[in-house]
Structures are given as structure tokens and as C-alpha cells.
């Protein structure tokens, strides 16, 4: 029963043909869609802007299958599970239905809070006592606050990410500022650790790198659309940059062949060396704010 959470002329809920439920937000400030599965912001379009998030034309929008694009929420591991036990790539949070706790409208911004708590699936995977809360605020900016609480009597070590896919006109002409001089794990080169130089990061091949101890805001420069996408963050020590390029895309049923040219993942994360360690009862907050502006300033 979602009606109590709807907001006239701002927020309604829809069931999609594939069986997912999504919040459809439409205000003078912005439009967005947020799927209850994975608390997944799939689209965000501030007034006067093109869509800021990339969403694959072949994403399947079916229960249990992560949406390709938008901002998947990754928890409790990043990439393959590394403790020898079975589990889905990038953890379970993005494949499960989250619960709506609250919605609201303030200063023209729509806020929605969703939670994920242990269930049969997570308990099977060994996760009995965690509590995730994601608060998303949709307006001229897009704001995320992800809180993780360890409800267990043992310490909890986990990885997390807001695995954001951004829309760019042409990946060949885009660049990322903010990661200069950081150390990163290059997943395309046997996970070797390398150091980025002083130049902004440009993408000219498959790119899959976890920048460690990277806390600075990142800016995606898109000269073709004369746009900057600014990603500010707090509580995040890692920034992941990913583009699958041609070959990897061929192996992805939920990406059209040429779509890699219009996307770039810049992910607000805590991964690898930056995994989070929570004592029993302790909480951690990760936050990100995404803004857009013109390049000509
Ligand atoms: O964040 C980059 C990455 O870890 C890549 O290695 C690639 O696997 C990507 O995530 C997408 O993963 P997915 O499971 O959504 O296909």
C-alpha cells in the first residue's frame, strides 16, 4: 500500500510491465525515477538539463536483475565476493526490494527514505543483523545519504558503493578531474597498483580502476554538451572509474553495442583497502551530492 507515501503533483508510484515498483518524481525542479528494488535511482533530469544518469536501452527491469544504469547501491561487497562463500556480484542490496520509510517535499525537493534489513536471502548469505537506510533527495541536485548500522554482536567489515552511471555525449572527449596523483587498483591489468599523474583522467580504452584514499570531489568534463557533472562526497575513501569499452560491452546482454560511448561510471565507494569496519552497534554514513553546471564559467 504505497498511496500514503505519494505526494500530489510531485511523487507517485507505478508498477512496470516487468513487475517492478518505482517512484516517479516530477516537480518544477527535476524529474526522476527510483525503483524499490535496490533503492535504485534509475533516472534524474534536472530542469533545463539533459538526463544526467546513463540508463541502458537494454536494461531489463525484472525482479532480481540489477538495472543497468542509474545509481545501483552496492553492499556488502564490491565486485565478486572475496571470502570464499557464494554470493552475487556486487552483493545483494541492489537485487532486493527495499522498504519505504518516509517521503516528503520541502523547498521544492522530494525526499524519499528506504531501508533494507535482513531477510531469508541475506541470512542465507551470512548477513543476519545489518540495517541499511538510503535517503535520496531529488531537486536541482541529487543527494544520497547511505547509513549502515551493524546490529550484530560481532564486528562487521563491508564494502559499499553508489555505482553511478553518468551520461556523456562522447566518452572519447570526456575527462575526470579530482583523481590526480591518487593511487589506484587497475582491474584491467591484473589488479596492479598504479599512480595517476597530474593530468585529468581521460578514457581511451576499457577502464576499471579503484582509486584508494580518494576523498576529493570529482568533476566530469563533457565539452560536447558543454556540461560539468560534479560529484561531492563524504564518508567515502574510494572512487571507482569504469567504462567497459567495446569488447566488454559485447558480453553484456543489457547494453547495446555502442552505448559504452555515452556512459562513464564515477562511483562513490569504500572498497578494497578502504573497506569499512564497524564494531557491534556502530554506524557509518556515506553521502554524495551530484550537481550539474555549464563548462563555460
Ligand atoms: O565498478 C566497476 C565494476 O566493478 C566492473 O568491474 C564491472 O563489473 C562493473 O562494476 C559492472 O558490474 P555489474 O555486475 O553491474 O555488471
Amino acid at each position: 500500500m504505497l498511496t500514503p507515501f505519494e505526494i500530489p503533483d510531485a511523487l507517485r508510484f507505478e508498477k512496470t510491465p516487468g513487475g517492478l515498483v518505482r517512484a516517479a518524481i516530477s516537480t518544477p525542479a527535476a524529474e526522476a525515477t527510483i525503483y524499490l528494488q535496490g533503492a535504485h535511482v534509475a533516472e534524474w533530469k534536472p530542469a533545463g538539463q539533459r538526463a544526467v544518469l546513463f540508463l541502458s536501452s537494454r536494461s531489463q527491469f525484472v525482479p532480481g536483475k540489477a538495472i543497468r544504469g542509474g545509481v545501483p547501491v552496492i553492499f556488502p561487497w564490491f565486485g565478486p565476493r572475496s571470502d570464499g562463500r557464494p554470493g552475487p556480484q556486487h552483493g545483494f542490496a541492489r537485487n532486493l526490494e527495499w522498504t519505504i520509510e518516509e517521503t516528503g517535499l520541502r523547498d521544492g525537493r522530494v525526499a524519499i527514505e528506504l531501508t533494507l534489513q535482513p531477510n531469508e536471502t541475506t541470512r542465507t548469505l551470512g548477513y543476519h543483523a545489518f540495517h541499511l537506510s538510503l535517503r535520496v533527495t531529488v531537486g536541482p541536485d541529487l543527494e544520497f545519504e547511505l547509513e549502515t548500522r551493524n546490529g550484530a554482536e560481532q564486528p562487521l567489515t563491508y564494502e559499499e558503493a553508489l555505482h553511478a552511471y553518468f551520461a556523456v555525449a562522447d566518452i572519447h572527449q570526456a575527462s575526470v578531474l579530482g583523481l590526480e596523483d591518487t593511487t589506484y587498483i587497475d582491474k584491467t591489468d591484473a589488479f596492479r597498483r598504479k599512480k595517476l599523474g597530474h593530468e585529468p583522467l581521460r578514457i581511451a580504452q576499457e577502464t576499471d580502476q579503484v582509486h584508494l584514499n580518494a576523498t576529493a570531489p570529482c568533476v566530469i568534463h563533457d565539452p560536447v554538451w558543454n556540461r560539468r557533472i560534479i560529484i561531492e562526497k563524504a564518508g567515502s575513501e574510494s572512487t571507482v572509474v569504469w567504462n567497459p569499452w567495446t569488447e566488454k560491452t559485447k558480453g553484456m546482454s543489457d547494453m547495446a553495442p555502442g552505448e559504452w560511448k555515452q556512459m562513464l561510471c564515477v562511483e562513490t565507494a569504500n572498497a578494497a583497502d578502504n573497506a569499512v569496519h564497524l564494531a557491534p552497534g556502530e554506524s557509518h554514513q556515506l553521502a554524495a551530492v551530484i550537481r550539474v553546471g555549464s563548462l563555460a564559467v
Side-chain angles (χ1 to χ4, degrees), residues 202-270:
R202 300 188 72 89
I203 311 295
Q205 60 192 12
E206 179 191 350
T207 301
D208 192 350
Q209 41 203 68
V210 180
H211 290 259
L212 299 170
N213 309 318
T215 55
C218 283
V219 182
I220 299 171
H221 270 215
D222 181 341
V224 178
W225 283 344
N226 178 31
R227 181 157 88 170
R228 289 183 307 155
I229 302 175
I230 302 123
I231 304 112
E232 296 174 342
K233 64 177 191 170
S236 159
E237 300 283 320
S238 318
T239 299
V240 182
V241 178
W242 178 58
N243 183 286
W245 217 250
T246 48
E247 287 314 304
K248 267 288 169 45
T249 300
K250 284 176 185 166
M252 296 164 68
S253 61
D254 56 0
M255 281 276 281
E259 279 186 327
W260 56 271
K261 297 174 191 168
Q262 281 90 37
M263 60 146 284
L264 177 57
C265 284
V266 177
E267 305 162 33
T268 301
N270 286 301

Side-chain angles (χ1 to χ4, degrees), residues 273-288:
D273 307 19
N274 299 134
V276 180
H277 307 283
L278 290 183
E282 207 178 15
S283 296
H284 175 271
Q285 290 80 30
L286 175 146

Side-chain angles (χ1 to χ4, degrees), residues 68 78-79 89-90 94 163 165 187 208 240 242 252 267:
R68 179 67 65 191
F78 188 86
Q89 161 89 345
H90 281 327
R94 65 178 180 171
H163 191 298
Y165 289 69
K187 294 170 64 175
D208 192 350
V240 182
W242 178 58
M252 296 164 68
E267 305 162 33

